[in-house]
Amino acid sequence: MDALSTIVNVFATSLHVSLLAIAFNPTAWNIVARNEYNNKTITRIFGGNARYGCYFLAIMIFSFGMLRDHLYQRALSDQPRVPMLSAPYDILIPVVLFAIGQLFVVTSTWALGITGTFLGDYFGILMDHRVQGFPFNVLRDPMYVGSTMCFIATALWYERPAGLLVSLYVYIVYLIALRFEGPFTDMIYSKRASAKKAL
C-alpha cells in the first residue's frame, strides 16, 4: 500500500468526483436517450421538433464533457507527480497521443454530423447509411478510443501515474456503455429496415 500511495492519492476527494463524473456521462446519456426513444420527452419539450431536442441534448452532452475534463485535470493536480518518460519522449508521446486522439474525435463528429454524433437516432433522426470512411474504417468506436487516448496523454503530460489508472477506468466505462449503446442502436436501424421491407 505504501508503494501505491507514492503514485496515487486514493483519498483525494477530487479523484472521487472525477471518477463519478466519468461514469455519470455515458450512463446518464444512455438513460436519457432511451427515454427519448420510448417516450419522446425532450421532443415534446421542444414542441414536437426532434431536431431541436437533439441539438439541446448535444449541448448538454458537450457541456458535461467539458466539465468532466475539467474535473479530471483538477483531480490530476491533487495526485503525486512522478516522471514516467525520459526526455524528449515526456513531451513527444503525450503530444502525439493527444493529437491522434483529437483527430479521431473530431473526424468522427465531422463524419457523423451533430445528430449522428449526439444520439439523433434515438430521436428518430436516422442516417441514410452506415459511415464507412475515416476514422470508422480504422476503428469501430473512434470517439471512445480517441477520448481514452486524450486521457492517457493528459496523464503523461502532467506526469501523474494516477491518471493512467483513471484512463483505464475510462476505457472500461466506455466498453460497458457500448454493450448497451451498440445493440440498442442496431435495433433502431433494424426496425427501420423491417419497416421499409414491409412497404
Side-chain angles (χ1 to χ4, degrees):
M1 188 67 181
D2 287 343
L4 181 65
S5 65
T6 62
I7 59 170
V8 182
N9 178 4
V10 296
F11 301 107
T13 303
S14 58
L15 177 63
H16 303 157
V17 172
S18 176
L19 295 176
L20 284 172
I22 288 164
F24 170 83
N25 281 3
T27 304
W29 307 136
N30 269 288
I31 292 169
V32 168
R34 285 189 183 218
N35 175 70
E36 181 60 27
Y37 179 79
N38 292 311
N39 303 308
K40 304 298 179 196
T41 306
I42 300 174
T43 298
R44 286 204 309 270
I45 291 170
F46 285 89
N49 191 316
R51 198 163 288 276
Y52 286 169
C54 184
Y55 291 156
F56 169 76
L57 185 60
I59 292 168
M60 297 301 292
I61 292 173
F62 184 80
S63 300
F64 275 87
M66 296 294 286
L67 176 62
R68 175 206 62 197
D69 293 348
H70 168 73
L71 292 172
Y72 172 60
Q73 203 163 356
R74 188 170 173 186
L76 290 185
S77 68
D78 291 336
Q79 293 298 315
R81 182 178 181 185
V82 180
M84 293 179 278
L85 298 168
S86 59
Y89 303 108
D90 58 336
I91 292 175
L92 186 61
I93 290 176
V95 166
V96 170
L97 263 179
F98 193 85
I100 294 172
Q102 283 298 304
L103 178 68
F104 286 147
V105 171
V106 171
T107 54
S108 296
T109 305
W110 181 264
L112 294 171
I114 297 297
T115 56
T117 301
F118 296 104
L119 307 172
D121 36 17
Y122 291 76
F123 286 81
I125 307 167
L126 305 185
M127 301 189 73
D128 294 331
H129 52 81
R130 188 180 187 92
V131 175
Q132 296 181 334
F134 186 83
F136 293 93
N137 59 352
V138 177
L139 295 166
R140 177 170 165 77
D141 302 296
M143 264 192 195
Y144 284 158
V145 172
S147 177
T148 304
M149 290 174 74
C150 291
F151 273 90
I152 295 169
T154 304
L156 292 173
W157 179 264
Y158 289 105
E159 301 183 315
R160 300 304 200 273
L164 296 179
L165 295 176
V166 174
S167 300
L168 175 62
Y169 170 77
V170 166
Y171 192 64
I172 291 168
V173 167
Y174 284 159
L175 288 178
I176 293 169
L178 284 168
R179 291 187 66 105
F180 291 93
E181 284 177 21
F184 200 81
T185 302
D186 289 344
M187 180 273 295
I188 292 172
Y189 281 91
S190 177
K191 271 190 169 182
R192 180 181 70 171
S194 298
K196 279 184 176 180
K197 282 182 183 177
L199 292 176

